């Protein structure tokens, strides 16, 4: 997992944790230079993403908007100019129980998820305590390399057949 514009290195990975541990306010991620945060989440299989939960503080540091992108590995802030798969206007959530449902048809085959938080409720930095992802995981189907040989023109030596007994028009 990669988080861009985080103040402490590695703190972005700490907000993705089990549902039972969402109330732990000791672990959080805070943006560094401005209010933008970008998470790149690779999956080990294919995911059908059904919902996202975001928990923040009850002040201006809580994110106000969330944009989701799928299957763009190593996404950077330059890539956020493109149109998102889905955009959410967020409400302040102190308990991490408010779920934002995704359009399942768009997020049915996700192997990489990028979550962009472009703005917050007015503070200089954005602070997030918990991000929860709800969905179904399936094993990825990996296609192995197959070696095939094709004939541009047939080689008669490869296609031998039994000799056919000659037929005559005469009846004996």
């Amino acid at each position: 997992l990669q988080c861009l514009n985080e103040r402490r290195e590695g703190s972005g990975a700490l907000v993705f944790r089990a549902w039972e541990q969402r109330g732990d306010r000791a672990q959080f991620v805070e943006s560094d230079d401005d209010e933008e945060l970008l998470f790149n989440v690779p999956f080990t299989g294919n995911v059908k993403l059904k919902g996202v939960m975001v928990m923040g503080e009850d002040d201006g540091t809580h994110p106000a908007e969330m944009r989701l992108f799928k299957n763009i590995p190593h996404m950077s802030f330059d890539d956020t100019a493109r149109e998102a798969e889905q955009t959410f206007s967020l409400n302040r959530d102190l308990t991490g129980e408010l779920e934002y449902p995704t359009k399942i048809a768009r997020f049915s085959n996700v192997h990489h998820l990028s979550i962009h938080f472009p703005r917050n409720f007015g503070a200089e930095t954005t602070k997030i305590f918990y991000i929860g992802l709800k969905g179904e995981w399936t094993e990825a189907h990996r296609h192995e390399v197959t070696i095939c040989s094709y004939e541009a023109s047939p080689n008669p030596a490869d296609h031998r057949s039994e000799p056919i007994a000659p037929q005559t028009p005469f009846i004996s």
Side-chain angles (χ1 to χ4, degrees), residues 47-50 68-70 84-86 88 102-110 113:
V47 172
K48 181 189 288 186
L49 186 66
K50 296 181 177 180
L68 300 180
F69 300 87
K70 73 171 192 174
E85 296 289 328
Q86 192 167 358
F88 298 94
T102 62
K103 297 176 183 171
I104 296 176
R106 287 192 179 184
F107 293 96
S108 63
N109 191 18
V110 180
L113 179 69

Side-chain angles (χ1 to χ4, degrees), residues 91-148:
N91 295 318
R92 288 187 175 102
D93 184 13
L94 305 177
T95 59
E97 296 177 358
L98 183 60
E99 181 181 331
Y100 298 95
T102 62
K103 297 176 183 171
I104 296 176
R106 287 192 179 184
F107 293 96
S108 63
N109 191 18
V110 180
H111 56 82
H112 189 279
L113 179 69
S114 298
I115 308 172
H116 179 225
F117 295 99
R119 60 186 179 86
N120 58 22
F121 286 101
E124 289 184 17
T125 61
T126 299
K127 191 185 251 187
I128 299 173
F129 291 96
Y130 170 75
I131 296 177
L133 302 175
K134 182 179 177 184
E136 297 173 8
W137 179 88
T138 57
E139 188 173 352
H141 298 289
R142 305 238 186 254
H143 296 286
E144 299 292 328
V145 176
T146 305
I147 299 173
C148 297

Side-chain angles (χ1 to χ4, degrees), residues 25 31 43 50 87 100 114:
R25 291 181 117 24
S31 61
F43 296 114
K50 296 181 177 180
T87 302
Y100 298 95
S114 298

Side-chain angles (χ1 to χ4, degrees), residues 51-67:
V52 180
M53 292 152 279
V54 179
M55 186 173 93
E57 198 71 76
D58 190 21
D59 59 7
T61 62
H62 193 289
E65 184 180 346
M66 175 175 63
R67 303 174 70 220

Side-chain angles (χ1 to χ4, degrees), residues 26-85:
Q27 297 178 344
F28 61 89
V29 63
E30 188 173 7
S31 61
D32 190 18
D33 295 331
D34 55 9
E35 68 261 3
E36 281 191 280
L37 279 171
L38 178 63
F39 293 90
N40 286 311
V41 184
F43 296 114
T44 57
N46 292 325
V47 172
K48 181 189 288 186
L49 186 66
K50 296 181 177 180
V52 180
M53 292 152 279
V54 179
M55 186 173 93
E57 198 71 76
D58 190 21
D59 59 7
T61 62
H62 193 289
E65 184 180 346
M66 175 175 63
R67 303 174 70 220
L68 300 180
F69 300 87
K70 73 171 192 174
N71 301 338
I72 307 173
H74 311 294
M75 189 170 174
S76 67
F77 284 110
D78 296 335
D79 299 321
T80 61
R82 68 174 59 185
E83 185 177 348
E85 296 289 328

